[in-house]
Structures are given as C-alpha cells and as structure tokens.
Amino acid sequence: MPTTDPSKPDHRSAYHRRLEALDASLIRLGAMVSELIPWGTQVLLNGDMGEAQKLIDADDEIDHLSVEIEESVYEIMVLQAPVASDLRHLTTILKSVGELERSADLVVNICKATRRMYGSPMSPKIRGVIDGMSQEARRLIQLAMEAFADADSALAAALSDIDDELDNLNREMVEAVFAAHHDGAIDLAAAVQLALVARYYERIGDHAVNIGERVGYMVTGWLPELNGSLRTQHRGQSADPVVANPGDGPADGG
C-alpha cells in the first residue's frame, strides 16, 4: 500500500485529525489510570476482596486501550512516515502509553497485596500515609497528562520536584511499618506487603515523571538522557588511541 503524503492539503487535515484522536485516547487512558489509584487505595484500606477483583478485571480495559493506541501509532508511522515534531509527538504518545499501563499494573499489585495481608490491622498512622501517597500519586499522573494536553514543558519539567513529596511519604511509610512491626502490631509478612505497597505508589510517581520527560522532549526535542550521551561521545573522542606507525617496530638487539 502506498504511503500518503501528509504534506498535501487533502491528507494533512485527515492526518491531524488522527493525531488529535490519538491525543484524546491517551488523555482518556490517563484519566482511567487516575481513577484506578483511589479505587485501589480504598480496596486496600477497606480490605474489600470483591472490589479488589473488580479492579483487577477493570485493568483489562486499560490494557485493551493501550494496545489500540500503540497499534494506531505504529500504523501512522508506517503509512505517513512523519518527521521532526510529529515524530516526537508520536513517540511521546507511545512511551507515555507504556508508563500509564505500568502504573495501572502497580495499582493491581496493590490489590494483590491486599489479598496477601487480608485481616492484618493497619494503624491510623499507616492508613494516613497510604491515603497521602495515593493522593500524591494520582495528582502526579493528572499533572503529567495536563502537561501533555497543553504541551506545557515547564509543568513537565516541574514534575520531578513535585515528586519529592511522594518520595518523602514513601520514607515515612517504611518507617511507620518498621515501627509497627517492632511493636508487634503487625507480623513480618504484613510489614513486607505494606513496604511493597509504598514502593508501588512511589513507582507510579516515577512513571508520571517519565511522562513529563517525554512531554519535554515532544516540545523541545531534548531528553535528560542526551546529556549522558553527549558526555559519552566526548569521552570517546578524547580517548582516541594513538595509532603507531606501521613501520615502527622493536629495536634490534645487538
């Protein structure tokens, strides 16, 4: 099948409509993941096994939409051969889908942890920190999607600093879990699961920061990893080996 030329007026409008539809699908996916986070938190805090299974089943819809978006991106790349800013836009969508899908998987992991520690008590301190981590994780996902929707590179760059609060809560959670285990309030198995739950929330924040980095790339063409790449290239150029003269050889003994 011949590729269409997105530079031609009759194809350009259809091409941009497809990009806009992809944007809308990604934003929809972000909203679904955003809603999943407080749902999973309530499953954990309430120990509701029925809701846990409903959430796990709901993740199938997120997986389905993720696959649809990815396939649409690949199709556009093959048929339209986009370049420059359009290519950065599409790769940002592709990367962001993966970050969102993995965030949803982390909420599923929270529900599975709820099963493993069913019946274990949680102190008001631990419950409060869990709620705070849930709110921060959800806020970061929402801000990441806002940055994408508005092509806001400043907001995208700020996500790394905003994520510091979630990192602080993660440390607070681990300390609270260790203290509860030390006091005999929870057994070791429950302590391990709660520490993992804290890590799951913290990782959701990391995925939001990763989306922000991709949005920055979409807008500016720059990624943090490029700094390391340039340093590596510079070191390689500085360390070029000295090539010996083929005619030189060891001095004859005598």
Side-chain angles (χ1 to χ4, degrees):
M1 178 183 295
T3 60
T4 56
D5 184 355
S7 64
K8 294 181 179 179
D10 55 336
H11 295 304
R12 196 68 186 173
S13 58
Y15 174 64
H16 278 288
R17 282 197 300 271
R18 291 201 67 181
L19 286 179
E20 289 169 2
L22 274 174
D23 287 352
S25 293
L26 183 68
I27 292 168
R28 179 185 164 210
L29 181 65
M32 291 167 68
V33 174
S34 173
E35 291 301 316
L36 214 62
I37 297 169
W39 184 8
T41 302
Q42 287 307 304
V43 166
L44 175 65
L45 294 177
N46 297 334
D48 191 331
M49 296 299 98
E51 282 298 303
Q53 187 58 52
K54 288 180 183 178
L55 187 149
I56 292 169
D57 293 341
D59 182 55
D60 289 344
E61 185 178 351
I62 289 176
D63 291 341
H64 177 70
L65 181 56
S66 297
V67 170
E68 281 191 341
I69 295 171
E70 289 177 353
E71 289 179 346
S72 294
V73 169
Y74 292 137
E75 182 179 351
I76 289 177
M77 285 181 170
V78 170
L79 298 181
Q80 305 288 355
V83 295
S85 61
D86 283 350
L87 185 58
R88 294 201 306 270
H89 190 145
L90 287 166
T91 57
T92 294
I93 292 174
L94 197 59
K95 292 285 188 177
S96 297
V97 167
E99 303 291 351
L100 290 170
E101 194 274 332
R102 285 189 287 275
S103 295
D105 287 344
L106 289 166
V107 181
V108 169
N109 287 346
I110 290 172
C111 289
K112 291 179 179 178
T114 304
R115 289 175 170 175
R116 297 186 189 107
M117 54 178 289
Y118 182 73
S120 297
M122 282 185 279
S123 68
K125 170 68 174 178
I126 290 175
R127 296 175 71 88
V129 178
I130 287 172
D131 187 61
M133 293 193 79
S134 173
Q135 291 183 39
E136 282 299 310
R138 185 186 189 193
R139 182 167 79 103
L140 280 160
I141 290 292
Q142 290 175 329
L143 289 174
M145 298 316 300
E146 181 181 331
F148 171 79
D150 297 337
D152 188 338
S153 59
L155 176 56
L159 288 172
S160 181
D161 291 333
I162 297 171
D163 184 48
D164 288 347
E165 176 60 23
L166 189 53
D167 292 337
N168 292 335
L169 286 168
N170 182 34
R171 287 189 288 271
E172 187 177 345
M173 175 70 167
V174 172
E175 290 172 0
V177 169
F178 283 163
H181 176 58
H182 181 269
D183 295 340
I186 55 175
D187 61 23
L188 180 59
V192 169
Q193 291 303 317
L194 285 170
L196 286 172
V197 163
R199 178 61 174 159
Y200 298 149
Y201 284 119
E202 193 266 340
R203 284 296 299 149
I204 292 171
D206 289 344
H207 287 308
V209 171
N210 291 344
I211 292 172
E213 290 180 353
R214 299 306 304 192
V215 170
Y217 170 71
M218 180 181 75
V219 177
T220 67
W222 188 257
L223 277 172
E225 291 86 349
L226 293 175
N227 290 320
S229 176
L230 290 174
R231 286 194 296 269
T232 299
Q233 291 177 34
H234 178 72
R235 285 194 295 269
Q237 292 167 359
S238 301
D240 286 339
V242 176
V243 179
N245 187 329
D248 292 342
D252 293 334

